[in-house]
Amino acid sequence: MQNILFFHNNDEFLYLIDELKKMYNINNFYILKTGERAKKTKYKNNNIYSDIEQLRNLNIKIAFVISESPFVNKMYFELYKLGINKVYTINGEYLPMLEQNKLLTELISEFNFDKPLIGYLETHLYNKCNLNCKGCTHFSNIDDNKFMTIEEYEKNISLLSKLYNINTFRLMGGEPLLNEKLGEYLKITRKYFPKSNIDIATNGLLLCSLNKDLIEIINDNNIIIKISLYLPIEKIKGRIEKFLIDNKILHFYGNGCKQVDNKLLIRDFHKCLTTTKKYDSKYNSENCFARECWFLKGSLIAKCATPLQINILNKKFNTDFKLDSDDFIDISKLKDSSWTDIE
């Protein structure tokens, strides 16, 4: 029997290991756990590791990755260096959909490491928004550009698919439901990423006005709706939930809790920029809350949205935040993909 590795970063996912062991008839396994929310010990200590270096000589080729997206981009690179050649992934945010008649097997994605695997990537389908949040970290409230054309989008998505696999692809904005041709963008994304989890991050205000054609495209292409609960949405969340259930649209709220919870309401924003130079930029980069929210804009990929969106702020307020060439990679200039890109 092959040795199997289970990786998780939240003790709430421990029950899934038991389910997966039965489902795949797994007897020989090890567990790698990391993070503040992965502290419980359920199995024998000789099966559990907190440092991937301890697994070097165990000849593990297959791993199950159960994680809260997006905080696993670096882990896939570490698994590749370990010698793993296949991963089965479960995005912990999606577990509430088990209560929407979704089977666990339908939440599992399978990827070979024939191409580098990006755990999480987000991109805008519409830059402007129908809310005006003063703390928007994507600067959608001051962005004058609406969206890239379908032709440009398909060109970049096609190129991206040749270079990388993507576990979770989040389509957002701004408010993506403002895009009148949203269905075409969804079909293009699914065409080039048939194995990926694809979800739409929306504030939910326009959900109940979705037409039948768009609903059909969402369901046919297995698109998931993620609702960010801003204060204006709280008043209509009951109507939103009924609409989504009636139309059999898979969805979850905020951080993936099982039900709409007031604790998920977005009341404040992270303060992620400063014009002073008293802070350690290297430390901030390594510890920023958005450091794993990789972002695609055109043909450029950055570790978060800020480097590729900062020109919007500079233009509006005459600030002078700098964009350096090592802040991003340009996939249009890559001849081939490499795991060093992920590193």
Side-chain angles (χ1 to χ4, degrees):
M1 290 288 292
Q2 292 191 69
N3 291 327
I4 304 296
L5 175 66
F6 291 102
F7 165 78
H8 78 94
N9 58 7
N10 190 324
D11 288 331
E12 292 182 7
F13 304 151
L14 279 173
Y15 78 95
L16 289 173
I17 294 178
D18 291 331
E19 294 290 329
L20 292 167
K21 283 168 55 187
K22 294 176 184 176
M23 192 182 302
Y24 290 89
N25 193 26
I26 295 171
N27 295 309
N28 301 326
F29 66 94
Y30 302 93
I31 297 174
L32 174 66
K33 60 179 187 174
T34 64
E36 289 297 315
R37 285 182 281 189
K39 294 182 177 181
K40 293 181 181 178
T41 301
K42 181 176 179 179
Y43 299 95
K44 294 179 181 178
N45 287 334
N46 60 351
N47 283 87
I48 300 174
Y49 298 84
S50 57
D51 184 353
I52 198 169
E53 292 299 322
Q54 298 171 314
L55 300 167
R56 287 288 169 207
N57 299 318
L58 297 178
N59 192 31
I60 302 172
K61 300 299 181 184
I62 298 176
F64 286 81
V65 178
I66 313 165
S67 67
E68 293 174 295
S69 182
F71 306 110
V72 288
N73 276 329
K74 186 177 179 181
M75 178 53 65
Y76 288 120
F77 178 59
E78 295 299 324
L79 292 175
Y80 167 75
K81 291 195 297 183
L82 185 65
I84 299 292
N85 53 38
K86 178 184 287 188
V87 293
Y88 296 87
T89 70
I90 298 177
N91 183 341
E93 287 185 307
Y94 295 164
L95 292 178
M97 291 185 295
L98 293 175
E99 299 180 5
Q100 300 169 34
N101 297 319
K102 190 81 167 173
L103 300 175
L104 179 58
T105 52
E106 296 177 297
L107 297 182
I108 300 172
S109 299
E110 178 184 340
F111 297 98
N112 293 318
F113 278 171
D114 53 335
K115 290 186 288 189
L117 176 60
I118 295 176
Y120 175 92
L121 185 69
E122 58 189 33
T123 194
H124 283 190
L125 295 188
Y126 202 85
N127 296 318
K128 298 188 73 63
C129 191
N130 51 354
L131 292 179
N132 190 30
C133 304
K134 66 178 181 180
C136 180
T137 54
H138 287 221
F139 313 118
S140 295
N141 51 347
I142 57 173
D143 193 348
D144 295 328
N145 298 311
K146 291 185 177 180
F147 55 90
M148 72 174 74
T149 65
I150 288 177
E151 293 75 20
E152 183 183 4
Y153 182 75
E154 181 161 20
K155 175 184 175 183
N156 291 316
I157 293 298
S158 172
L159 178 58
L160 183 69
S161 70
K162 295 174 183 176
L163 296 169
Y164 308 107
N165 287 316
I166 297 174
N167 184 27
T168 298
F169 203 157
R170 182 153 294 164
L171 310 175
M172 56 190 303
E175 174 48 57
L177 298 188
L178 288 169
N179 190 327
E180 295 180 354
K181 296 183 178 180
L182 176 60
E184 297 305 310
Y185 288 81
L186 297 181
K187 288 189 287 186
I188 288 170
T189 311
R190 178 55 75 197
K191 171 184 173 182
Y192 290 102
F193 289 97
K195 292 184 177 181
S196 299
N197 300 309
I198 300 175
D199 63 46
I200 301 172
T202 172
N203 59 42
L205 286 173
L206 299 175
L207 277 173
C208 295
S209 63
L210 296 183
N211 60 52
K212 291 183 179 179
D213 290 341
L214 184 53
I215 291 171
E216 185 176 349
I217 290 172
I218 289 171
N219 288 334
D220 287 349
N221 289 276
N222 197 26
I223 307 295
I224 298 162
I225 301 294
K226 174 189 180 294
I227 303 105
S228 300
L229 285 174
Y230 297 94
L231 286 173
I233 290 81
E234 182 184 20
K235 300 176 183 178
I236 61 170
K237 62 188 180 185
R239 184 155 59 92
I240 291 173
E241 179 69 9
K242 184 178 186 306
F243 177 86
L244 294 171
I245 291 175
D246 288 347
N247 288 282
K248 298 180 172 58
I249 298 175
L250 294 169
H251 60 281
F252 66 99
Y253 294 85
N255 63 6
C257 288
K258 292 184 178 180
Q259 64 282 323
V260 179
D261 189 325
N262 285 335
K263 291 183 292 186
L264 295 177
L265 284 175
I266 300 171
R267 301 177 183 273
D268 301 294
F269 291 85
H270 296 276
K271 295 178 180 178
C272 57
L273 291 172
T274 177
T275 55
T276 67
K277 296 184 178 180
K278 65 179 180 179
Y279 298 101
D280 183 334
S281 59
K282 186 176 186 298
Y283 173 85
N284 287 344
S285 176
E286 293 175 352
N287 292 277
C288 176
F289 73 97
R291 67 189 180 279
E292 298 284 355
C293 298
W294 291 10
F295 186 74
L296 172 72
K297 185 173 185 178
S299 64
L300 307 181
I301 297 179
K303 198 158 83 168
C304 70
T306 302
L308 301 182
Q309 296 290 91
I310 198 66
N311 66 304
I312 300 168
L313 189 73
N314 286 338
K315 180 181 177 181
K316 181 72 175 181
F317 296 106
N318 198 31
T319 49
D320 191 31
F321 289 101
K322 303 293 186 184
L323 177 65
D324 296 323
S325 58
D326 59 353
D327 287 331
F328 61 87
I329 58 174
D330 186 344
I331 60 175
S332 69
K333 296 182 179 178
L334 298 178
K335 294 182 179 179
D336 198 2
S337 58
S338 169
W339 279 94
T340 57
D341 304 334
I342 308 299
E343 184 182 24

